[in-house]
Amino acid sequence: MTKLAYLNEIERCASWLAAWTIHHANHVREGDEIKVGGHQASSASLSTIMTALYGSVLRPQDRVAVKPHAAPIFHALQYLAGNQTREKLMNFRGYKGAQSYPSRTKDIDDVDFSTGSVGLGVAQTLFSSLVQDYVSAHGWMKGRPEGRMISLIGDAEMDEGNIYEALIEGWKHGLRNCWWIVDYNRQSLDAVIREGLWQRFEQIFRNFGWDVMILRHGAQQEAAFTEPGGEKLREWIERCPNQLYAVLTFQGGAAWRKRLLDEIGDQGPVAALIERRSDDAMQALMTNLGGHDMPSLLEAFEAASSHDRPVCFICYTIKGYGLPLAGHKDNHAGQMTPAHMEGFRRQMAVKPGEEWDKWAAATLPEAELDAFLAKVPFFGEGRRRLSAPSVPVPATLPLPGQPGKPLSTQMGFGQILTDIAREQSPLAERIVTTSPDVTVSTNLGGWVNRRGLFARETMADTFKAERIPSTYSWEFGPKGQHLELGIAESNLMIMLGALGLSHSINGVRLLPIGTVYDPFIYRSADQLNYACYQDARFMLVATPSGVTLAPEGGAHQSIGTPLIGMAQDGLCAFEPAFVDELSVIMRFAFDYMQRNGEGDPDETTWLRDQTGGSVYLRLSTRLLEQPLRDMRPDLARDIVNGAYWLRPPGPNASVVIAYQGVVAPEAIAATGLLAEDRRDVGLMAITSADRLNAGWQAAERARQRGMTGALSHVERMLAPLSRDCGIVTAIDGHPATLAWIGGVNGHRVKALGVEHFGQTGTIADLYRHHGLDTNAIVHAAQAVSAGPAIRYRKALP
């Protein structure tokens, strides 16, 4: 039996299972109302391509991002190979069943890259290929062969702008070992694709140095073109509008025959070619496009396997291929009815009651098919999820600056990294930094000077070679540890996702740090969410933040980013005011980024401290005088847990000031003024509203489940306060970040912060404008606490 025969049989069985899985989710499983949408048509569209890949072409080191709506065909192929269970397939889109979009964290069947937010899995393969180059150039592959990073893409998905941003970065870094396979079925959710789009795709990819292979016609069509009149048929097919081709596909063989005879059938040889075929044969011929033809696919994939250049395959397909809804413009949301499915079951010769059997649709012996799949290279090593040992982190990190001297957290971050760069330590070796054209302005310059920029080939710094004085040395080479990106924050987040998965994909642990201007997190929020959803591990350093970059105006001032830090799952957010806090937090972060990641978070804390995650540091350019203090273990613990008392409240406290970040001077000054008119005033330094809130929410859930003694860090801190004590919160960000603190024990709260776009001016100007200065804090304290008027209070502007 030939390989082709086995592959065709596997595709047949996988196509049946994919269609049945979706039908079962829609019409059979009780108690659910699930609309599967485009899965049925998209899975059929990609069945041949995916069978060719998984059944023949892929190797264990290759990684694949599967088109989101092709999840059922992916799960079906994995089920046939023994990597997916029948129970999870039967529970597709149900609770803890096979996921509607392939997920590396929630599916059991060896998903390489999560997909779902269209276009992001595509770009991820490009950046993962660049990360593989980085790991290889540093000599860490340890004999493991380089793999291809492959994405299966819907043609409508090519509308996503982040794909083209990634193409630019791939060209700049000399992309290799990357395949993008476009499922060119010419249908999107709402429309049929515009004419000639493939020509635009081809031109774009060739301009960026990719090879382009167009698979338009299958072997059946190519054979027909060699018959008398065949060239006329080819010409008609290639000029046929996309909408008409879709309509005739849906209408079937008789419609093809009539249209062809009407338009080109007056030429004798063409009419004879058409008349020699039955209606069924005409449908088979006209839908035999390159993306559905196994021999054509295998030939193209094998040809591209002989080199490491990036390749774009444009594979013509029919959306819904082989199903009753093939070609219809509504098939994205279309679902096969029970009558449709019964006809399909008979067509596939599947016996009632055997629908879930692995080889229910097979015409070859099951033992032969199992034996064939057991020898397929891709499945030969079993589950391909790799691991890497943790990089040791020292007990403390350097503490730059001098007590009493002004320093910003952004400057402190740069100096801490520069001090680490001086060492020849495992930590320094595995840190890799990246930034979207803001390397210098986010204080990474010292690190880059010592560790260099990465490129596969050495490139000298021309300014240095020409003896032109410069603060920075920009030398590129294979051992460099900084990846310079263009000014596209989308690329930064996807690169961090790729770097942060290296331990799983390449078996090599990296400690990625990415810097970005804090307001521009909004530009890449989807990409950040995508990286966290995949459980990538990285440190995102966002600076400058808030309105403290006052002269720049509202365009460079952030408001809601602390709320993003709190809301983003898998991301632990901190905003320290002082550099000694930052040093403690960074030390924690390097360790936290490497923790196991398996299992659910421990709900006694809900801080993901056992499972780990990524870290977001919101830093500032505002210079603050640094405190003189010993970093005691209990203080370091409280900094990491989210808050500590800079001034503990006394037993009769009527007001407490709680601040986060660089409003510390205003909060400290206000506390001093209040102390003259209010007793036992407390000052709480919050380093992470995110961790405080998460712990509080988890403790409440634990109590509801019977753990009556569960207490969070913020509850323990606020426990000594009487119910009458008022709380004033202050942050250079949205006031809702800290407003929830009043709900912990029922205290009155006045939440101060920034709600509107900033203006140009000094920090003092802007804090006064937004009601965040010392006087505003004093006014808020008057409002939430009982007692006489506070004497230092001035009228608000």
Side-chain angles (χ1 to χ4, degrees):
M1 191 68 64
T2 65
K3 179 172 74 172
L4 186 60
Y6 286 121
L7 291 175
N8 286 333
E9 194 79 347
I10 291 167
E11 182 199 358
R12 175 185 172 88
C13 294
S15 296
W16 160 258
L17 283 166
W20 176 251
T21 295
I22 301 165
H23 179 76
H24 182 266
N26 280 327
H27 298 288
V28 179
R29 195 168 64 214
E30 295 181 359
D32 290 333
E33 292 183 6
I34 297 176
K35 183 178 180 181
V36 177
H39 288 91
Q40 203 137 32
S42 290
S43 285
S45 179
L46 272 168
S47 61
T48 318
I49 293 171
M50 292 179 65
T51 302
L53 287 172
Y54 286 97
S56 178
V57 178
L58 297 178
R59 305 157 300 168
Q61 63 268 30
D62 296 332
R63 307 289 173 176
V64 185
V66 175
K67 175 182 170 181
H69 285 129
I73 196 71
F74 170 77
H75 292 311
L77 286 166
Q78 296 287 334
Y79 175 54
L80 294 177
N83 294 333
Q84 179 60 279
T85 67
R86 174 172 175 162
E87 291 71 27
K88 286 188 176 293
L89 207 59
M90 292 175 68
N91 199 24
F92 176 67
R93 295 196 76 164
Y95 182 62
K96 294 197 174 181
Q99 296 293 296
S100 50
Y101 305 123
S103 170
R104 62 176 286 112
T105 58
K106 299 180 183 298
D107 277 316
I108 65 169
D109 46 358
D110 209 14
V111 175
D112 294 316
F113 302 109
S114 300
T115 52
S117 186
V118 292
L120 299 188
V122 181
Q124 177 81 55
T125 58
L126 182 150
F127 286 102
S128 290
S129 183
L130 298 182
V131 171
Q132 181 178 247
D133 284 346
Y134 179 91
V135 169
S136 181
H138 282 77
W140 296 329
M141 292 292 280
K142 299 178 182 177
R144 185 173 181 274
E146 294 179 347
R148 289 181 292 261
M149 305 297 164
I150 299 171
S151 181
L152 300 165
I153 315 168
D155 48 5
E157 201 171 3
M158 294 295 290
D159 289 346
E160 291 289 343
N162 61 269
I163 288 177
Y164 302 98
E165 291 180 349
L167 275 178
I168 295 171
E169 211 60 62
W171 174 79
K172 289 192 292 188
H173 286 272
L175 177 68
R176 305 181 306 131
N177 292 317
C178 188
W179 288 3
W180 287 0
I181 303 170
V182 181
D183 173 20
Y184 195 55
N185 60 45
R186 294 161 287 170
Q187 288 186 253
S188 62
L189 276 68
D190 297 329
V192 175
I193 299 298
R194 294 291 191 274
E195 304 303 324
L197 187 61
W198 69 270
Q199 294 165 315
R200 307 284 81 77
F201 288 161
E202 180 182 15
Q203 184 177 355
I204 289 169
F205 279 91
R206 290 198 191 282
N207 285 345
F208 283 108
W210 290 56
D211 288 359
V212 179
M213 301 185 72
I214 300 172
L215 286 78
R216 184 160 194 170
H217 304 290
Q220 238 190 105
Q221 286 192 357
E222 292 289 358
F225 298 155
T226 65
E227 298 178 24
E231 277 305 312
K232 294 294 182 182
L233 178 62
R234 180 200 293 272
E235 291 171 8
W236 186 93
I237 290 174
E238 295 187 356
R239 70 171 185 268
C240 180
N242 292 336
Q243 290 207 39
L244 177 58
Y245 213 91
V247 165
L248 293 172
T249 297
F250 178 72
Q251 291 177 330
W256 283 115
R257 179 186 307 282
K258 183 178 185 307
R259 177 70 64 156
L260 289 169
L261 287 173
D262 286 347
E263 296 194 4
I264 58 174
D266 58 342
Q267 304 169 52
V270 179
L273 184 155
I274 296 167
E275 293 295 358
R276 279 196 296 271
R277 289 166 169 84
S278 66
D279 286 350
D280 287 345
M282 279 303 303
Q283 177 76 346
L285 173 64
M286 299 305 288
T287 59
N288 177 236
L289 303 181
H292 297 307
D293 190 70
M294 190 70 71
S296 300
L297 288 165
L298 293 177
E299 181 181 357
F301 291 150
E302 287 166 9
S305 298
S306 62
H307 59 80
D308 65 2
R309 295 188 301 276
V311 184
C312 174
F313 301 88
I314 299 175
C315 299
Y316 276 71
T317 60
I318 300 291
K319 191 167 184 178
Y321 178 69
L323 303 179
L325 40 71
H328 196 288
K329 70 182 182 69
D330 297 340
N331 64 13
H332 182 83
Q335 302 167 40
M336 289 172 65
T337 65
H340 284 149
M341 200 65 206
E342 177 60 21
F344 190 54
R345 184 188 64 76
R346 289 195 298 270
Q347 176 187 330
M348 301 296 280
V350 173
K351 297 177 182 177
E354 297 181 1
E355 292 88 353
W356 292 108
D357 291 358
K358 283 175 59 176
W359 304 112
T363 61
L364 295 177
E366 296 181 12
E368 288 186 28
L369 293 167
D370 283 329
F372 176 83
L373 272 181
K375 296 177 182 178
V376 165
F378 186 75
F379 299 118
E381 295 183 6
R383 190 170 170 83
R384 301 159 307 111
R385 195 69 61 88
L386 305 179
S387 61
S390 294
V391 176
V393 179
T396 60
L397 293 185
L399 180 58
Q402 298 177 2
K405 297 291 185 180
L407 195 65
S408 72
T409 48
Q410 176 178 302
M411 294 167 61
F413 161 73
Q415 291 180 28
I416 290 170
L417 268 190
T418 300
D419 287 342
I420 293 173
R422 292 189 178 99
E423 306 168 357
Q424 295 304 315
S425 65
L427 176 65
E429 180 183 64
R430 293 305 176 96
I431 290 173
V432 53
T433 59
T434 185
S435 186
D437 203 38
V438 290
T439 298
V440 173
S441 53
T442 56
N443 278 68
L444 278 176
W447 165 267
V448 175
N449 278 350
R450 291 190 171 273
R451 290 287 168 166
L453 294 102
F454 174 74
R456 293 207 325 272
E457 297 180 0
T458 300
M459 294 183 287
D461 184 342
T462 304
F463 278 79
K464 182 177 180 181
E466 294 294 328
R467 303 191 179 191
I468 298 174
S470 173
T471 307
Y472 302 102
S473 175
W474 297 103
E475 293 185 338
F476 290 80
K479 300 305 178 184
Q481 289 180 240
H482 178 76
L483 287 156
E484 184 64 11
L485 300 175
I487 190 164
E489 288 77 9
S490 168
N491 285 340
L492 169 72
M493 299 303 181
I494 302 177
M495 174 64 93
L496 286 175
L499 290 165
L501 288 175
S502 178
H503 59 283
S504 179
I505 290 176
N506 301 308
V508 176
R509 177 80 62 179
L510 299 176
L511 298 173
I513 300 175
T515 62
V516 65
Y517 286 1
D518 192 63
F520 301 149
I521 284 179
Y522 287 113
R523 289 185 182 175
S524 54
D526 190 21
Q527 290 81 2
L528 173 61
N529 179 69
Y530 173 69
C532 292
Y533 181 68
Q534 298 203 87
D535 199 24
R537 304 304 181 86
F538 52 87
M539 185 188 300
L540 175 63
V541 179
T543 179
S545 64
V547 298
T548 53
L549 197 65
E552 295 280 344
H556 279 187
Q557 297 169 4
S558 57
I559 298 172
T561 49
L563 298 174
I564 292 177
M566 292 182 69
Q568 180 59 62
D569 189 20
L571 188 69
C572 179
F574 290 93
E575 186 174 3
F578 301 112
V579 175
D580 61 352
E581 299 168 357
L582 175 63
S583 178
V584 168
I585 291 167
M586 286 181 66
R587 191 268 160 207
F588 164 78
F590 284 128
D591 177 58
Y592 180 78
M593 288 156 58
Q594 302 183 72
R595 295 183 186 178
N596 193 336
E598 294 295 328
D600 294 329
D602 180 358
E603 289 203 12
T604 60
T605 61
W606 204 253
L607 296 179
R608 294 181 59 91
D609 286 359
Q610 295 178 10
T611 59
S614 292
V615 176
Y616 162 33
L617 305 182
R618 190 173 189 254
L619 306 184
S620 174
T621 52
R622 189 185 189 191
L623 297 172
L624 300 185
E625 289 188 7
Q626 300 301 302
L628 174 61
R629 56 185 173 185
D630 293 328
M631 187 51 66
R632 307 179 312 275
D634 59 332
L635 175 58
R637 181 198 63 231
D638 287 349
I639 288 170
V640 167
N641 284 342
Y644 65 93
W645 288 111
L646 195 58
R647 172 175 171 161
N652 298 302
S654 63
V655 66
V656 162
I657 309 300
Y659 74 89
Q660 178 168 296
V662 292
V663 295
E666 285 72 23
I668 292 169
T671 302
L673 296 177
L674 289 169
E676 298 192 23
D677 295 299
R678 294 289 185 271
R679 299 177 62 184
D680 297 341
V681 178
L683 180 60
M684 180 189 295
I686 296 176
T687 55
S688 176
D690 178 25
R691 287 169 67 80
L692 286 186
N693 183 267
W696 173 50
Q697 298 287 352
E700 176 59 27
R701 278 189 292 273
R703 289 191 289 269
Q704 292 174 3
R705 294 173 181 174
M707 299 175 62
T708 56
L711 278 179
S712 64
H713 183 54
V714 69
E715 288 171 315
R716 285 189 289 270
M717 292 194 71
L718 298 179
L721 303 181
S722 72
R723 184 62 64 88
D724 295 330
C725 181
I727 300 176
V728 177
T729 65
I731 180 176
D732 187 353
H734 198 281
T737 308
L738 300 175
W740 59 270
I741 286 177
V744 174
N745 286 331
H747 293 104
R748 291 184 64 197
V749 167
K750 287 290 184 181
L752 306 181
V754 179
E755 297 178 83
H756 305 289
F757 292 118
Q759 307 204 21
T760 55
T762 66
I763 292 175
D765 291 334
L766 268 64
Y767 276 16
R768 184 168 56 252
H769 171 77
H770 288 288
L772 199 53
D773 61 356
T774 299
N775 187 45
I777 295 174
V778 170
H779 266 271
Q782 174 77 65
V784 297
S785 63
I790 298 169
R791 70 188 76 178
Y792 294 103
R793 185 167 52 103
K794 303 175 184 177
L796 291 172

